[in-house]
Amino acid sequence: CLWTLTAIVKETLRDAVPAKAGVLKTLLAPLDAVLEGFYNAILVHHFDSHCYTSPYSEATNNLISFTDLLEALLASRTELELPLRCQRVLFLKVSYVLNLIKSSITYVIQKKFILLLKKCVLYKSREDAKSGSLSLRTSPLCEDMLALSNGVLQVVNLTWLNQIPLHGKSSSFGSSEPAPGDDTAGGSDQTVLRALSLVVLKALEFKTHNSATEAEIK
């Protein structure tokens, strides 16, 4: 079901039809509450169990399918003037994703969600893409970006970054030495390192630009 819904959303986005927004709204509006409930139910799990630490388990495959759906929902949001809740939930409830990323879940899932966060912080509405800036302070996107930025900065202010792996072995974001037996020449996953850095920088940038007082900015 996840795969089918994702495929339909992606195909709709690829089609050069004028009524794309209407098609997406007809498809997603009846599923809006269901998909948000799905998000809550799936991502609230404790991902330290064995079924999530194996990259080949059914649970892992289901989670990959759900990540693909979240990515398609993010891409589809540009087509609707007012985004649906299921297109906003990743921003508004980003803490679920942040908790998942620092768990002992298989690395392929961690990486997919980190790259999905990167797409979130780089996301621009159609109007912002034209103007080149995110200036609509009252828009749902501004509210969503602020929620995401707050969530990211709260965990970064703790020890979250130190718990993020930079490759499938035992090295972490905050480690200064390779784990015993690791090949130092292999290095860290530069894609993940860049994505994490960009997420933090963009969260700082957005929070600074949208803080009401000088004290907040400091």
Side-chain angles (χ1 to χ4, degrees):
C1 289
L2 287 171
W3 185 91
T4 303
L5 183 57
T6 304
I8 293 170
V9 172
K10 286 182 175 179
E11 280 300 317
T12 305
L13 291 173
R14 275 197 287 264
D15 283 347
V17 292
K20 203 178 291 185
V23 172
L24 286 168
K25 195 165 186 179
T26 301
L27 173 67
L28 295 175
L31 297 172
D32 200 21
V34 175
L35 290 174
E36 184 179 2
F38 223 45
Y39 180 93
N40 296 339
I42 289 179
L43 298 187
V44 80
H45 281 185
H46 295 289
F47 292 99
D48 298 322
S49 64
H50 174 70
C51 63
Y52 288 107
T53 54
S54 166
Y56 308 109
S57 68
E58 184 181 358
T60 297
N61 284 333
N62 289 340
L63 203 49
I64 289 173
S65 295
F66 189 58
T67 315
D68 292 338
L69 176 59
L70 289 174
E71 190 174 337
L73 290 173
L74 176 66
S76 71
R77 125 173 223 163
T78 53
E79 301 299 329
L80 302 184
E81 193 171 333
L82 286 174
L84 297 167
R85 182 80 181 180
C86 64
Q87 295 169 312
R88 302 180 63 193
V89 68
L90 184 58
F91 294 83
L92 299 176
K93 298 183 178 181
V94 70
S95 61
Y96 288 36
V97 171
L98 297 173
N99 288 334
L100 179 148
I101 290 171
K102 73 171 185 177
S103 72
S104 59
I105 198 167
T106 180
Y107 182 67
V108 67
I109 300 288
Q110 291 170 319
K111 183 170 182 174
K112 278 185 76 71
F113 271 103
I114 288 168
L115 296 179
L116 184 56
L117 282 181
K118 175 188 166 186
K119 290 186 178 182
C120 287
V121 298
L122 293 176
Y123 178 82
K124 288 185 177 181
S125 68
R126 189 179 296 170
E127 291 74 15
D128 293 321
K130 288 177 184 174
S131 66
S133 64
L134 189 62
S135 56
L136 303 176
R137 284 177 176 262
T138 57
S139 70
L141 180 56
C142 185
E143 182 187 336
D144 295 352
M145 287 295 291
L146 197 54
L148 185 141
S149 299
N150 285 334
V152 168
L153 294 177
Q154 280 169 14
V155 296
V156 167
N157 200 34
L158 302 172
T159 58
W160 184 77
L161 279 178
N162 294 335
Q163 301 173 63
I164 310 304
L166 284 184
H167 55 67
K169 297 181 183 176
S170 53
S171 176
S172 296
F173 191 100
S175 67
S176 56
E177 298 179 4
D182 275 3
D183 178 14
T184 54
S188 303
D189 188 330
Q190 295 300 302
T191 302
V192 169
L193 179 59
R194 286 193 298 269
L196 276 171
S197 302
L198 186 63
V199 167
V200 175
L201 286 170
K202 282 291 185 181
L204 274 170
E205 178 188 33
F206 193 82
K207 180 67 174 172
T208 303
H209 288 171
N210 291 273
S211 293
T213 64
E214 191 176 342
E216 268 190 321
I217 294 173
K218 285 182 179 179

